[in-house]
């Protein structure tokens, strides 16, 4: 996957931005289901909440405005309305490793991947640089910036989704919110992935034995990272984790 930006950004575009493996796909399912009043799945998601890395600019311009666009970009002053999702980097690195196993035929061990991640050898900008680029510039985003912690969304999905609906200026009642939450549950997303992955282009050359949607847990890093890896993360990202409200 190459990091690129759409050539054309429209004034009413809404961007769902995150570092990879921070919950962007889950949020796309939630928002798409709520925003369009339909059930987002793996076969129709690109029709409603487009991934800018899966379409060229001419294709993106064919979609009806306002467009909901998924991005992993660092701060871009053309993005006028942004939902930025942040997740504990200690869980991100684990999830990103399994993404590579599934999607890119990656052959290295987790320890080798961890070392590559720490020194910035992943396709996208370093995790801390990506996050801070948005936080430092949030007040410059003309139509609004919403910082969404993955862990908060997991802990209280209803209230966080309600906040998202308000940010997007859409009126949804409790029944509609709960319906979107149920449809976009990890269990249902995994079921849909199993049923549909043979029909979805993005999964065509992936390892079908490794799930794209895994457990979605928070804090699983405590059981997986070694003591040395935990210390490396603390030294490398500790200040930013603390600023974001994570225990270090």
């Amino acid at each position: 996957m190459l990091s690129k930006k759409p050539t054309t950004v429209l004034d009413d575009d809404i961007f769902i931005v995150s570092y990879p493996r921070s919950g962007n796909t889950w949020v796309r399912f939630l928002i798409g289901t709520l925003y369009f009043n339909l059930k987002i799945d793996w076969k129709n998601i690109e029709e409603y909440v487009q991934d800018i890395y899966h379409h060229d600019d001419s294709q993106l311009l064919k979609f009806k405005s306002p467009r909901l666009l998924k991005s992993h970009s660092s701060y871009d002053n053309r993005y006028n309305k942004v939902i930025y999702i942040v997740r504990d980097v200690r869980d991100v690195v684990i999830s990103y490793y399994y993404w590579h196993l599934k999607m890119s035929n990656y052959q290295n061990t987790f320890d080798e991947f961890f070392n590559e991640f720490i020194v910035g050898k992943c396709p996208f900008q370093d995790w801390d640089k990506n996050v801070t680029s948005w936080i430092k510039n949030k007040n410059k985003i003309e139509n609004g910036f919403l910082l969404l912690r993955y862990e908060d969304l997991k802990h209280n999905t209803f209230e966080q989704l309600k906040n998202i609906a308000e940010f997007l200026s859409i009126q949804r009642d409790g029944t509609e919110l709960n319906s979107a939450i149920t449809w976009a549950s990890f269990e249902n997303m995994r079921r849909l992935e199993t049923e549909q992955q043979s029909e979805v282009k993005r999964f065509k050359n992936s390892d079908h034995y490794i799930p794209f949607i895994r457990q979605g847990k928070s804090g699983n890093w405590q059981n997986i990272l070694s003591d040395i890896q935990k210390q490396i993360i603390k030294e490398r990202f500790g200040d930013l984790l603390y600023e974001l409200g994570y225990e270090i």
Side-chain angles (χ1 to χ4, degrees):
M1 182 189 297
L2 297 177
S3 178
K4 66 131 181 129
K5 301 175 183 178
T7 303
T8 306
V9 173
L10 306 178
D11 290 342
D12 60 354
D13 284 341
I14 301 164
F15 283 89
I16 304 169
V17 187
S18 71
Y19 189 84
R21 306 308 292 173
S22 298
N24 204 309
T25 301
W26 179 31
V27 173
R28 290 170 74 201
F29 266 72
L30 282 168
I31 292 178
T33 299
L34 197 67
Y35 196 88
F36 295 104
N37 285 314
L38 57 81
K39 294 178 176 179
I40 295 294
D41 61 26
W42 297 102
K43 293 192 292 185
N44 68 16
I45 191 169
E46 292 301 330
E47 298 176 37
Y48 295 98
V49 192
Q50 292 81 38
D51 184 332
I52 67 170
Y53 309 104
H54 292 172
H55 308 271
D56 62 31
D57 196 55
S58 63
Q59 292 171 327
L60 287 172
L61 286 171
K62 294 177 182 179
F63 292 106
K64 184 179 178 181
S65 293
R67 301 180 300 178
L68 296 176
L69 300 173
K70 169 254 182 101
S71 172
H72 292 312
S73 173
S74 56
Y75 173 69
D76 187 323
N77 62 10
R78 300 174 303 157
Y79 290 17
N80 286 327
K81 194 174 187 71
V82 173
I83 296 172
Y84 187 83
I85 313 157
V86 65
R87 185 184 186 186
D88 190 325
V89 67
R90 292 164 291 195
D91 285 322
V92 168
V93 66
I94 296 165
S95 182
Y96 208 6
Y97 170 66
Y98 282 99
W99 182 92
H100 278 79
L101 291 182
K102 178 175 180 62
M103 303 298 289
S104 65
N105 195 32
Y106 188 76
Q107 299 295 318
N108 291 357
T109 66
F110 173 72
D111 289 346
E112 291 169 323
F113 177 81
F114 180 89
N115 293 333
E116 293 173 1
F117 182 89
I118 289 297
V119 298
K121 288 187 177 180
C122 290
F124 291 90
Q125 188 180 43
D126 294 354
W127 176 82
D128 56 338
K129 292 179 180 177
N130 189 289
V131 174
T132 56
S133 75
W134 287 102
I135 292 175
K136 288 181 178 179
N137 291 289
K138 63 183 181 180
N139 293 329
K140 299 177 183 177
I141 301 172
E142 185 175 346
N143 295 332
F145 175 86
L146 179 65
L147 179 63
L148 181 65
R149 287 203 335 166
Y150 176 89
E151 293 76 14
D152 295 335
L153 188 61
K154 285 281 293 180
H155 178 69
N156 195 338
T157 310
F158 183 89
E159 286 301 321
Q160 293 297 318
L161 188 57
K162 183 179 178 181
N163 291 339
I164 292 171
E166 291 176 359
F167 180 74
L168 297 176
S169 299
I170 55 175
Q171 300 294 321
R172 299 291 183 267
D173 61 27
T175 299
E176 292 170 310
L177 290 166
N178 281 320
S179 179
I181 291 167
T182 299
W183 178 256
S185 67
F186 282 83
E187 293 78 13
N188 194 49
M189 289 175 69
R190 283 196 297 269
R191 178 185 67 82
L192 291 169
E193 179 188 339
T194 300
E195 293 176 356
Q196 298 179 342
Q197 65 178 339
S198 62
E199 306 172 62
V200 177
K201 183 178 180 181
R202 72 182 302 181
F203 293 139
K204 183 177 180 181
N205 297 316
S206 71
D207 187 334
H208 288 192
Y209 292 100
I210 299 174
F212 184 88
I213 298 298
R214 297 177 60 245
Q215 298 173 330
K217 290 183 177 179
S218 299
N220 202 35
W221 61 269
Q222 298 181 55
N223 303 315
I224 295 177
L225 299 184
S226 69
D227 289 342
I228 291 175
Q229 289 170 337
K230 291 174 185 176
Q231 184 60 33
I232 290 172
I233 289 277
K234 184 176 181 179
E235 293 173 357
R236 177 74 171 79
F237 302 118
D239 289 345
L240 181 54
L241 283 169
Y242 180 80
E243 179 183 341
L244 293 167
Y246 294 107
E247 293 184 8
I248 58 171

